[in-house]
Amino acid sequence: MSTIPLDYETLRLIWWLLLGVLLIGFAIMGGRDMGVGALLPFAAKTDEERRVLLNLIGPTWEGNQVWLILGGGAIFAAFPPLYAVSFSGFYLAMMVILLALILRPVGFKFRGKIEDPRWRNTWDWGLFIGGFVPALIMGVAVGNVLLGAPFHIDDTMRIFYTGNFFQLLMPFALLAGLVSVGMIVTHGATLIVGRTEGVIAERARTIGIWSGLVTAALFALGGVWLAFMNGYVVTSVIDPNAPINPLSKTVELVQGGWLRNYGTYPWMIAAPVLGLAGMLVAVLALNLRMKWLAYLATSGGIFGIVSTAGLSIFPFFLPSSTVPNSGLTLWDASSSHMTLFIMLVVTVIFLPIIIGYTAWVFRVMRGTVTPQTLGKNPNAY
C-alpha cells in the first residue's frame, strides 16, 4: 500500500466525485436527447418539422450514451457491492429502461424507410417513449435511493433483495420521477429553441417555460418533503481507510436525516440553490428570448438537482430499508486500494480524450437545423 501515492480515503472520495461527474454528464448530455425525443410529438406537428428535430440530435445522441456506459462501468469496477444490489434488485426497472432506449436507434433508422404517415407516426411515438420512460424511471430510482431499498446482507456477505418492481412506485419516488422528466423536457426545449427557428422554436419555448416552472415547483416540494421524511444516519465511528465491510457500522432512521449534511457542510446548500435557480433562470431567459442563456441555465439546473441527491445521501450510496445496518456507503462498498488507483490512472488518460472528442464533434455539428439544411444533406434522417 505504501507504494500508492494516494491513501484509501482520498481515492474513495475521488471516485465518488468521478461517479457524480459521469452521472451528471449523462443527465446533461443524454438528457438533452431524451428531452427532444419526449417533445417530438408535441413541438413538431408535420413530418418535415419532426425531421428537423430528429436531425438536431441524430448526429450526436449515440456519442452522448458514452456517459451512461462509463457511469455503469464505474459502478461495476469501483463499487462492486453497489453494482450487485442495484443491477440485480432493480433488474426489471433496468430492463424497461433498456427496452425504451432500444427504440431510439431503431426509430432513427426505420422511421424514414417507408413514406407512410402512420408508419412514421408510430416511430415518432416510439422515440417519445425512448426519451420519456428512461427519464421517468431513472428519477423514480433516485427517489427509491432516498427511501431506501429492501435488501440485506448476511454474515457471509451474500446480498438478498426482497422487493419487487411495484414497490418502487411510492409517492415520493414518483415525485422524483416527475422532477427528472421535467428537467430533461425543459433542457430539450431549450436546445430546440437554440438550434431551430420558426414555429418549432416557438412551440418549444412555450413548453419549456411551463415545464421549467413545474420542475422548479416539484423540486421545491421534494425538498420540503425530505425535511419531514426519515433519513438514514450512520451513528457509529467511521474509519475511511478500513477494508470494506457493510456490517461494521450501525445506522438509525432519523426524521429529516437527509438534511443533516447541509448543517455539517453549509457549502452543500449551493446544490439545491443551483437546481432551483437554474430552472427559474431558464424560464426567464426563454421569456426574454435569450436562447443560449436558457440552455446554460437548464444545464446548471440539472447539475444542481442531481448533485442535491448525491450530497443529501452522502456517505450512502444505497440505504437498506429492511436492515439499515446493511446499507451501502462510500466507505464500505468500494473496490480495493490498488484497484481504485489503477482505474484512476486510466481515467486521467482517457477521460480528457473523451471530453475533447465530444467538444470537437459538437463544434462540427453546430448551427441551426432547418428544412433547408436537410435538403442539402444527403445523409439526413
Side-chain angles (χ1 to χ4, degrees), residues 176-192:
L178 292 176
V179 172
S180 176
V181 170
M183 72 182 190
I184 69 104
V185 165
T186 309
H187 195 43
T190 60
L191 177 66
I192 295 172

Side-chain angles (χ1 to χ4, degrees), residues 226-231 253-260:
L226 212 61
F228 294 95
M229 192 172 77
N230 289 333
L253 269 175
V254 178
Q255 182 176 331
W258 289 138
L259 300 184
R260 284 196 169 191

Side-chain angles (χ1 to χ4, degrees), residues 183-219:
M183 72 182 190
I184 69 104
V185 165
T186 309
H187 195 43
T190 60
L191 177 66
I192 295 172
V193 171
R195 292 195 56 204
T196 65
E197 57 188 30
V199 66
I200 307 175
E202 283 304 307
R203 290 196 197 105
R205 190 175 73 86
T206 301
I207 294 171
I209 290 171
W210 285 106
S211 63
L213 289 172
V214 170
T215 303
L218 292 177
F219 181 58

